[in-house]
Structure formats: structure tokens, C-alpha cells
Amino acid sequence: MLDSCQSLLLGYGGHPGAAGFSFAKENEDAVREALNQCTVIPHDTTDFYDLELQPDAAANTLRQMDQAEPFGKGMERPVFKVSCNIDPSHQAVFMGADKSHLKLILPGNIQAVGFGVSAKYINDGKPGKIELYGDLTWNYYKGNATPNLLIKDYAIA
């Protein structure tokens, strides 16, 4: 896309995971028009994950991941699928000043946190049977480390 309008750009670059560019303010409309002319191939909307995870195996899985670090380009952190049944009235907490973030308490007292997903969760009727997709990390708090799933997305099971 950026190659197609390179004559309008001051500079550009990147890699398959990210790109950046700069242009003179007076070229803004021309750059927008050129980029809007590009064919965009929609991404695959199939749920993507690397491994299924049982919440009670989270700590052991994280210890194994610690040994595989560092993660980065070419060796990304795995995306996990966690299927669970929760009681939204007791295990769902809305966080943040605007309550836009969601925290779910999974079996085994594992926390799953989704930033900006509260509205979707509420609009979906606060489902109790869901499949979470996310990144498994350690949450460090007051000297304790506990498994935490950073929710990237979810599907109603």
C-alpha cells in the first residue's frame, strides 16, 4: 500500500506486523485518496489460537513458557483458548473509571482481564459459557505471582 503512494511520502517502512509513514501536511488528502484506492484483503475471522488451556494448568504452563523466553518477532507468545463456565453475577467484574474493562474470575482463582471489552460482553448478554482467547502472563501483586489471561477476544460457547 505504501509503495503505491511513495511519491507522496517523506518516508516509510516497517515489516509485516507494523508499518509507519510520514508525509507533508499539504499531501494529506492525496495520501488518503491513494491509500483508499488500495485493495484490502479481509483477515480471516476464524478463531485463532495455538493451544487449549485448562485453568488449573496455567501456573505450570507459565513456568514452562518462562524457560522458552524471550518471545518476539518470529517466536510470538502463544495465544491460548480457555473454555469456561462462569457465573456473571459473581465472577464478572467491570473495572476502570468508565467500567470499560472486564475481569473474569476463572476456576482455580485465575483472573482473565479484557481491556475495552465490557460493552461487547454486556451487549452479548453477559454469557456464562464462553471461550476466551488470550495471552497468558504472570500478574505480580504484593510479592505474589499468579497466572493471568489477557483477553484478546472471546466467543460465546
Side-chain angles (χ1 to χ4, degrees):
M1 289 176 70
L2 296 175
D3 285 342
S4 72
C5 61
Q6 85 179 66
S7 64
L8 300 169
L9 303 177
L10 299 174
Y12 68 99
H15 54 78
F21 60 98
S22 60
F23 54 89
K25 178 72 173 152
E26 60 268 13
N27 288 340
E28 180 177 358
D29 290 337
V31 170
R32 285 181 189 275
E33 185 176 327
L35 292 175
N36 285 331
Q37 296 297 318
C38 294
T39 302
V40 176
I41 301 168
H43 69 280
D44 184 359
T45 58
T46 305
D47 294 330
F48 170 78
Y49 62 95
D50 298 299
L51 301 164
E52 288 194 44
L53 177 71
Q54 297 299 319
D56 60 352
N60 188 48
T61 301
L62 274 169
R63 285 189 284 276
Q64 291 175 3
M65 288 173 59
D66 288 345
Q67 295 175 4
E69 288 188 341
F71 292 100
K73 190 71 179 149
M75 188 173 155
E76 287 80 14
R77 295 183 67 84
V79 175
F80 290 94
K81 173 185 172 183
V82 179
S83 298
C84 55
N85 293 310
I86 62 163
D87 178 351
S89 65
H90 294 94
Q91 294 172 286
V93 178
F94 300 101
M95 306 182 314
D98 60 357
K99 305 294 185 201
S100 64
H101 312 307
L102 175 67
K103 176 170 67 173
L104 301 173
I105 309 301
L106 307 182
N109 210 26
I110 305 300
Q111 293 184 17
V113 178
F115 295 99
V117 299
S118 287
K120 177 183 175 187
Y121 185 72
I122 291 167
N123 289 338
D124 285 342
K126 298 181 184 177
K129 189 171 185 177
I130 56 178
E131 295 171 342
L132 303 171
Y133 301 92
D135 181 15
L136 191 61
T137 64
W138 288 111
N139 179 38
Y140 298 97
Y141 183 70
K142 293 187 177 181
N144 295 315
T146 56
N148 187 55
L149 183 75
L150 296 175
I151 302 169
K152 293 177 184 244
D153 201 359
Y154 73 86
I156 300 172

